[in-house]
Amino acid sequence: QVQLVESGGGLVQAGGSLRLSCAASDRTFNSYTIGWFRQAPGKEREFTAAISWNGAITDYADSVKGRFTISRDNAKNTVYLQMNSLKPEDTAVYYCAADPRVGRLRTLQYDYWGQGTQVTVSS
């Protein structure tokens, strides 16, 4: 079972940047699709970005396209989410998740989840 740990969240002003990390416990992580999801207070969890096992394919929600970049370093068992030009509406708990399957990245089942990291963007 893959264990995921997110880090890098915090408080930032609008227009600022943060980089989230998702680290895995073992190297099977390197064969998994990794997704980032977020959940704002009172809202449902929503897809944010995802990356295929080899980094060749990425997918982004329209709301973050052009501002967020997902990448991975399989040598470090880590996936990153670089978030630029942050807006107050990006405030949420951000979760990373892993799925061993192939398919449309944003609609995979995502069997394994981290505990989340809080991102707060002040106006």
Side-chain angles (χ1 to χ4, degrees), residues 12-32:
V12 64
Q13 289 188 331
S17 299
L18 284 174
R19 188 177 80 159
L20 306 183
S21 298
C22 172
S25 56
D26 62 73
R27 296 191 65 81
T28 57
F29 171 89
N30 297 342
S31 63
Y32 283 41

PDB file of all heavy atoms in Angstrom, residues 12-32:
ATOM      1  N   VAL A  12      -0.297  32.637   2.016  1.00  0.00           N
ATOM      2  CA  VAL A  12       0.379  33.472   1.026  1.00  0.00           C
ATOM      3  C   VAL A  12      -0.581  34.557   0.562  1.00  0.00           C
ATOM      4  O   VAL A  12      -1.810  34.360   0.575  1.00  0.00           O
ATOM      5  CB  VAL A  12       0.870  32.606  -0.153  1.00  0.00           C
ATOM      6  CG1 VAL A  12      -0.291  31.970  -0.897  1.00  0.00           C
ATOM      7  CG2 VAL A  12       1.762  33.388  -1.092  1.00  0.00           C
ATOM      8  N   GLN A  13      -0.046  35.674   0.154  1.00  0.00           N
ATOM      9  CA  GLN A  13      -0.885  36.746  -0.374  1.00  0.00           C
ATOM     10  C   GLN A  13      -1.278  36.456  -1.818  1.00  0.00           C
ATOM     11  O   GLN A  13      -0.563  35.743  -2.543  1.00  0.00           O
ATOM     12  CB  GLN A  13      -0.147  38.076  -0.297  1.00  0.00           C
ATOM     13  CG  GLN A  13       0.019  38.617   1.107  1.00  0.00           C
ATOM     14  CD  GLN A  13       0.578  40.028   1.120  1.00  0.00           C
ATOM     15  OE1 GLN A  13       1.314  40.418   0.226  1.00  0.00           O
ATOM     16  NE2 GLN A  13       0.228  40.790   2.151  1.00  0.00           N
ATOM     17  N   ALA A  14      -2.378  37.023  -2.230  1.00  0.00           N
ATOM     18  CA  ALA A  14      -2.816  36.881  -3.620  1.00  0.00           C
ATOM     19  C   ALA A  14      -1.702  37.340  -4.557  1.00  0.00           C
ATOM     20  O   ALA A  14      -1.037  38.352  -4.310  1.00  0.00           O
ATOM     21  CB  ALA A  14      -4.081  37.698  -3.861  1.00  0.00           C
ATOM     22  N   GLY A  15      -1.512  36.563  -5.611  1.00  0.00           N
ATOM     23  CA  GLY A  15      -0.429  36.836  -6.547  1.00  0.00           C
ATOM     24  C   GLY A  15       0.852  36.102  -6.230  1.00  0.00           C
ATOM     25  O   GLY A  15       1.770  36.071  -7.066  1.00  0.00           O
ATOM     26  N   GLY A  16       0.919  35.517  -5.058  1.00  0.00           N
ATOM     27  CA  GLY A  16       2.118  34.811  -4.639  1.00  0.00           C
ATOM     28  C   GLY A  16       2.168  33.381  -5.152  1.00  0.00           C
ATOM     29  O   GLY A  16       1.309  32.950  -5.941  1.00  0.00           O
ATOM     30  N   SER A  17       3.182  32.671  -4.696  1.00  0.00           N
ATOM     31  CA  SER A  17       3.423  31.301  -5.162  1.00  0.00           C
ATOM     32  C   SER A  17       3.686  30.362  -3.995  1.00  0.00           C
ATOM     33  O   SER A  17       4.177  30.787  -2.938  1.00  0.00           O
ATOM     34  CB  SER A  17       4.640  31.263  -6.099  1.00  0.00           C
ATOM     35  OG  SER A  17       4.452  32.048  -7.245  1.00  0.00           O
ATOM     36  N   LEU A  18       3.357  29.103  -4.205  1.00  0.00           N
ATOM     37  CA  LEU A  18       3.700  28.021  -3.289  1.00  0.00           C
ATOM     38  C   LEU A  18       4.037  26.787  -4.118  1.00  0.00           C
ATOM     39  O   LEU A  18       3.517  26.625  -5.225  1.00  0.00           O
ATOM     40  CB  LEU A  18       2.540  27.685  -2.357  1.00  0.00           C
ATOM     41  CG  LEU A  18       2.238  28.606  -1.180  1.00  0.00           C
ATOM     42  CD1 LEU A  18       0.950  28.156  -0.491  1.00  0.00           C
ATOM     43  CD2 LEU A  18       3.383  28.634  -0.191  1.00  0.00           C
ATOM     44  N   ARG A  19       4.859  25.922  -3.559  1.00  0.00           N
ATOM     45  CA  ARG A  19       5.108  24.639  -4.187  1.00  0.00           C
ATOM     46  C   ARG A  19       4.764  23.521  -3.211  1.00  0.00           C
ATOM     47  O   ARG A  19       5.353  23.429  -2.137  1.00  0.00           O
ATOM     48  CB  ARG A  19       6.559  24.476  -4.649  1.00  0.00           C
ATOM     49  CG  ARG A  19       6.752  23.202  -5.473  1.00  0.00           C
ATOM     50  CD  ARG A  19       8.165  23.044  -6.003  1.00  0.00           C
ATOM     51  NE  ARG A  19       9.077  22.538  -4.987  1.00  0.00           N
ATOM     52  CZ  ARG A  19      10.235  21.938  -5.256  1.00  0.00           C
ATOM     53  NH1 ARG A  19      10.612  21.777  -6.520  1.00  0.00           N
ATOM     54  NH2 ARG A  19      11.025  21.531  -4.287  1.00  0.00           N
ATOM     55  N   LEU A  20       3.794  22.730  -3.590  1.00  0.00           N
ATOM     56  CA  LEU A  20       3.405  21.573  -2.788  1.00  0.00           C
ATOM     57  C   LEU A  20       4.200  20.350  -3.217  1.00  0.00           C
ATOM     58  O   LEU A  20       4.542  20.207  -4.387  1.00  0.00           O
ATOM     59  CB  LEU A  20       1.917  21.286  -2.933  1.00  0.00           C
ATOM     60  CG  LEU A  20       0.957  22.439  -2.641  1.00  0.00           C
ATOM     61  CD1 LEU A  20      -0.489  21.946  -2.759  1.00  0.00           C
ATOM     62  CD2 LEU A  20       1.219  23.046  -1.285  1.00  0.00           C
ATOM     63  N   SER A  21       4.475  19.488  -2.252  1.00  0.00           N
ATOM     64  CA  SER A  21       5.156  18.229  -2.530  1.00  0.00           C
ATOM     65  C   SER A  21       4.298  17.072  -2.044  1.00  0.00           C
ATOM     66  O   SER A  21       3.604  17.182  -1.039  1.00  0.00           O
ATOM     67  CB  SER A  21       6.512  18.181  -1.819  1.00  0.00           C
ATOM     68  OG  SER A  21       7.375  19.194  -2.274  1.00  0.00           O
ATOM     69  N   CYS A  22       4.383  15.983  -2.761  1.00  0.00           N
ATOM     70  CA  CYS A  22       3.703  14.738  -2.391  1.00  0.00           C
ATOM     71  C   CYS A  22       4.771  13.650  -2.424  1.00  0.00           C
ATOM     72  O   CYS A  22       5.251  13.292  -3.510  1.00  0.00           O
ATOM     73  CB  CYS A  22       2.583  14.442  -3.364  1.00  0.00           C
ATOM     74  SG  CYS A  22       1.796  12.828  -3.152  1.00  0.00           S
ATOM     75  N   ALA A  23       5.138  13.169  -1.250  1.00  0.00           N
ATOM     76  CA  ALA A  23       6.199  12.164  -1.157  1.00  0.00           C
ATOM     77  C   ALA A  23       5.593  10.804  -0.834  1.00  0.00           C
ATOM     78  O   ALA A  23       4.645  10.705  -0.046  1.00  0.00           O
ATOM     79  CB  ALA A  23       7.199  12.567  -0.080  1.00  0.00           C
ATOM     80  N   ALA A  24       6.157   9.777  -1.422  1.00  0.00           N
ATOM     81  CA  ALA A  24       5.636   8.424  -1.237  1.00  0.00           C
ATOM     82  C   ALA A  24       6.615   7.577  -0.437  1.00  0.00           C
ATOM     83  O   ALA A  24       7.807   7.856  -0.371  1.00  0.00           O
ATOM     84  CB  ALA A  24       5.379   7.769  -2.583  1.00  0.00           C
ATOM     85  N   SER A  25       6.035   6.509   0.132  1.00  0.00           N
ATOM     86  CA  SER A  25       6.818   5.665   1.035  1.00  0.00           C
ATOM     87  C   SER A  25       7.680   4.645   0.310  1.00  0.00           C
ATOM     88  O   SER A  25       8.657   4.153   0.875  1.00  0.00           O
ATOM     89  CB  SER A  25       5.882   4.929   2.003  1.00  0.00           C
ATOM     90  OG  SER A  25       4.915   4.186   1.269  1.00  0.00           O
ATOM     91  N   ASP A  26       7.329   4.319  -0.930  1.00  0.00           N
ATOM     92  CA  ASP A  26       8.124   3.305  -1.619  1.00  0.00           C
ATOM     93  C   ASP A  26       8.127   3.555  -3.124  1.00  0.00           C
ATOM     94  O   ASP A  26       7.372   4.370  -3.638  1.00  0.00           O
ATOM     95  CB  ASP A  26       7.599   1.902  -1.310  1.00  0.00           C
ATOM     96  CG  ASP A  26       6.180   1.700  -1.780  1.00  0.00           C
ATOM     97  OD1 ASP A  26       5.958   1.588  -3.006  1.00  0.00           O
ATOM     98  OD2 ASP A  26       5.287   1.665  -0.922  1.00  0.00           O
ATOM     99  N   ARG A  27       8.970   2.798  -3.812  1.00  0.00           N
ATOM    100  CA  ARG A  27       9.226   3.091  -5.213  1.00  0.00           C
ATOM    101  C   ARG A  27       8.119   2.615  -6.146  1.00  0.00           C
ATOM    102  O   ARG A  27       8.141   2.947  -7.330  1.00  0.00           O
ATOM    103  CB  ARG A  27      10.564   2.497  -5.621  1.00  0.00           C
ATOM    104  CG  ARG A  27      11.743   3.103  -4.882  1.00  0.00           C
ATOM    105  CD  ARG A  27      13.059   2.696  -5.499  1.00  0.00           C
ATOM    106  NE  ARG A  27      13.215   3.222  -6.846  1.00  0.00           N
ATOM    107  CZ  ARG A  27      13.608   4.466  -7.116  1.00  0.00           C
ATOM    108  NH1 ARG A  27      13.873   5.313  -6.141  1.00  0.00           N
ATOM    109  NH2 ARG A  27      13.743   4.868  -8.364  1.00  0.00           N
ATOM    110  N   THR A  28       7.143   1.858  -5.622  1.00  0.00           N
ATOM    111  CA  THR A  28       6.011   1.513  -6.499  1.00  0.00           C
ATOM    112  C   THR A  28       5.279   2.776  -6.934  1.00  0.00           C
ATOM    113  O   THR A  28       4.584   2.785  -7.950  1.00  0.00           O
ATOM    114  CB  THR A  28       5.029   0.566  -5.785  1.00  0.00           C
ATOM    115  OG1 THR A  28       4.562   1.179  -4.572  1.00  0.00           O
ATOM    116  CG2 THR A  28       5.697  -0.749  -5.465  1.00  0.00           C
ATOM    117  N   PHE A  29       5.429   3.817  -6.165  1.00  0.00           N
ATOM    118  CA  PHE A  29       4.901   5.153  -6.491  1.00  0.00           C
ATOM    119  C   PHE A  29       5.262   5.534  -7.919  1.00  0.00           C
ATOM    120  O   PHE A  29       4.484   6.185  -8.613  1.00  0.00           O
ATOM    121  CB  PHE A  29       5.510   6.138  -5.493  1.00  0.00           C
ATOM    122  CG  PHE A  29       5.272   7.587  -5.776  1.00  0.00           C
ATOM    123  CD1 PHE A  29       4.147   8.214  -5.274  1.00  0.00           C
ATOM    124  CD2 PHE A  29       6.179   8.334  -6.497  1.00  0.00           C
ATOM    125  CE1 PHE A  29       3.940   9.562  -5.495  1.00  0.00           C
ATOM    126  CE2 PHE A  29       5.977   9.675  -6.724  1.00  0.00           C
ATOM    127  CZ  PHE A  29       4.854  10.291  -6.222  1.00  0.00           C
ATOM    128  N   ASN A  30       6.443   5.109  -8.357  1.00  0.00           N
ATOM    129  CA  ASN A  30       6.930   5.530  -9.666  1.00  0.00           C
ATOM    130  C   ASN A  30       6.117   4.959 -10.821  1.00  0.00           C
ATOM    131  O   ASN A  30       6.248   5.442 -11.953  1.00  0.00           O
ATOM    132  CB  ASN A  30       8.403   5.122  -9.825  1.00  0.00           C
ATOM    133  CG  ASN A  30       9.280   5.822  -8.821  1.00  0.00           C
ATOM    134  OD1 ASN A  30       8.893   6.824  -8.244  1.00  0.00           O
ATOM    135  ND2 ASN A  30      10.459   5.278  -8.599  1.00  0.00           N
ATOM    136  N   SER A  31       5.289   3.986 -10.574  1.00  0.00           N
ATOM    137  CA  SER A  31       4.446   3.414 -11.622  1.00  0.00           C
ATOM    138  C   SER A  31       3.005   3.901 -11.532  1.00  0.00           C
ATOM    139  O   SER A  31       2.152   3.435 -12.286  1.00  0.00           O
ATOM    140  CB  SER A  31       4.475   1.882 -11.552  1.00  0.00           C
ATOM    141  OG  SER A  31       3.930   1.437 -10.323  1.00  0.00           O
ATOM    142  N   TYR A  32       2.735   4.834 -10.634  1.00  0.00           N
ATOM    143  CA  TYR A  32       1.374   5.304 -10.397  1.00  0.00           C
ATOM    144  C   TYR A  32       1.117   6.665 -11.029  1.00  0.00           C
ATOM    145  O   TYR A  32       1.991   7.528 -11.050  1.00  0.00           O
ATOM    146  CB  TYR A  32       1.137   5.444  -8.888  1.00  0.00           C
ATOM    147  CG  TYR A  32       0.898   4.150  -8.149  1.00  0.00           C
ATOM    148  CD1 TYR A  32       1.630   3.005  -8.422  1.00  0.00           C
ATOM    149  CD2 TYR A  32      -0.070   4.083  -7.148  1.00  0.00           C
ATOM    150  CE1 TYR A  32       1.404   1.838  -7.736  1.00  0.00           C
ATOM    151  CE2 TYR A  32      -0.297   2.921  -6.455  1.00  0.00           C
ATOM    152  CZ  TYR A  32       0.450   1.799  -6.744  1.00  0.00           C
ATOM    153  OH  TYR A  32       0.225   0.641  -6.060  1.00  0.00           O
TER     154      TYR A  32
END
